[in-house]
Amino acid sequence: NAGVMQNPRHLVRRRGQEARLRCSPMKGHSHVYWYRQLPEEGLKFMVYLQKENIIDESGMPKERFSAEFPKEGPSILRIQQVVRGDSAAYFCASSPLGGALTDTQYFGPGTRLTVL
Amino acid sequence: KNEVEQSPQNLTAQEGEFITINCSYSVGISALHWLQQHPGGGIVSLFMLSSGKKKHGRLIATINIQEKHSSLHITASHPRDSAVYICAVGGGSQGNLIFGKGTKLSVKP
């Protein structure tokens, strides 16, 4: 049973380009969470999705960032017109039952985004 | 003041020592999570607890809801325990975990 998979593991973009980060949850998990870890800072919640639905996006920046979790395929975190401040590690986690308050989350290895 | 505070920030121990990492929070919660982040960056969920105490191998986690405090203990520490240990609490909405800044543990042989 494969764990949570994220790709790419490392992504380099120039300012103004788009970054697409993918997350495939564990088999049987339909709840996905995205977190960001800025250099020398703690993890910050970004968004919580179920299949085809955004449940909580209270941690998402208002502009340039979007997330989806389609019926088929991985969850995608999309960052348009990247800036240097977007450089961070982006982690995805999944859970089988949903609700961070009540369910263990399984983390992916992260995608390290570097914006030049 | 951060909503989740961890102490100490950094901890160096000798192999075999008993280790305690503390977490205090200021928000109402339903569950608290302890995570381990390895030097390579990967994150593993160690515990999720809402009351009392949980034990897994050499790791023990306790929580006191009234005092809004949790502790993570490591017995007979080993160099492979070296990692950053992160406390996280449910912040109200379904997905919104609030994280502490982590405690960096280094266990020397």
Side-chain angles (χ1 to χ4, degrees), chain A residues 9 33 35 37 40-45 48 50 55-56 58 91 98-109 112, chain B residues 29-33 35 37 40-45 47-48 86 89-101:
Chain A
R9 294 290 302 276
Y33 312 82
Y35 302 97
Q37 189 173 40
E40 306 302 319
E41 291 192 21
L43 286 157
K44 295 272 195 280
F45 166 79
Y48 163 35
Q50 289 183 39
I55 306 302
D56 180 356
S58 58
F91 290 93
L101 303 182
T102 58
D103 200 10
T104 296
Q105 297 181 20
Y106 298 83
F107 283 79
R112 277 141 189 87
Chain B
I29 70 166
S30 293
L32 181 144
H33 301 248
L35 310 171
Q37 186 167 25
I43 297 173
V44 174
S45 180
F47 294 103
M48 183 188 66
I86 302 167
V89 301
S93 58
Q94 281 212 322
N96 190 7
L97 281 178
I98 303 171
F99 295 84
K101 292 191 173 180

Side-chain angles (χ1 to χ4, degrees), chain A:
Chain A
N1 186 11
V4 178
M5 297 172 65
Q6 288 187 250
N7 67 81
R9 294 290 302 276
H10 299 273
L11 181 61
V12 178
R13 284 288 178 265
R14 296 193 180 278
R15 279 179 298 168
Q17 291 184 320
E18 178 179 286
R20 280 189 181 229
L21 288 62
R22 293 174 184 75
C23 169
S24 296
M26 285 182 71
K27 189 175 180 181
H29 290 192
S30 58
H31 301 265
V32 165
Y33 312 82
W34 285 95
Y35 302 97
R36 178 165 67 173
Q37 189 173 40
L38 293 167
E40 306 302 319
E41 291 192 21
L43 286 157
K44 295 272 195 280
F45 166 79
M46 298 184 76
V47 62
Y48 163 35
L49 310 106
Q50 289 183 39
K51 286 280 187 183
E52 299 184 279
N53 284 306
I54 297 174
I55 306 302
D56 180 356
E57 56 181 347
S58 58
M60 287 280 269
K62 294 287 185 280
E63 296 176 350
R64 302 187 298 107
F65 285 72
S66 62
E68 63 176 4
F69 189 16
K71 189 176 179 182
E72 301 291 336
S75 175
I76 307 278
L77 179 67
R78 183 180 175 207
I79 312 172
Q80 294 178 289
Q81 298 176 311
V82 295
V83 301
R84 287 216 174 105
D86 296 332
S87 295
Y90 292 82
F91 290 93
C92 163
S94 73
S95 66
L97 298 176
L101 303 182
T102 58
D103 200 10
T104 296
Q105 297 181 20
Y106 298 83
F107 283 79
T111 293
R112 277 141 189 87
L113 172 65
T114 301
V115 180
L116 301 177

Side-chain angles (χ1 to χ4, degrees), chain B residues 31-92:
Chain B
L32 181 144
H33 301 248
W34 280 103
L35 310 171
Q36 180 192 53
Q37 186 167 25
H38 298 290
I43 297 173
V44 174
S45 180
L46 298 175
F47 294 103
M48 183 188 66
L49 63 166
S50 54
S51 65
K53 176 179 172 178
K54 284 191 176 180
K55 185 175 189 292
H56 185 256
R58 295 180 294 106
L59 300 177
I60 303 166
T62 63
I63 187 169
N64 184 319
I65 297 291
Q66 286 74 29
E67 294 186 5
K68 295 189 174 180
H69 181 268
S70 175
S71 293
L72 177 68
H73 305 285
I74 305 175
T75 61
S77 60
H78 190 277
R80 65 173 173 265
D81 297 327
S82 298
V84 175
Y85 292 83
I86 302 167
C87 170
V89 301

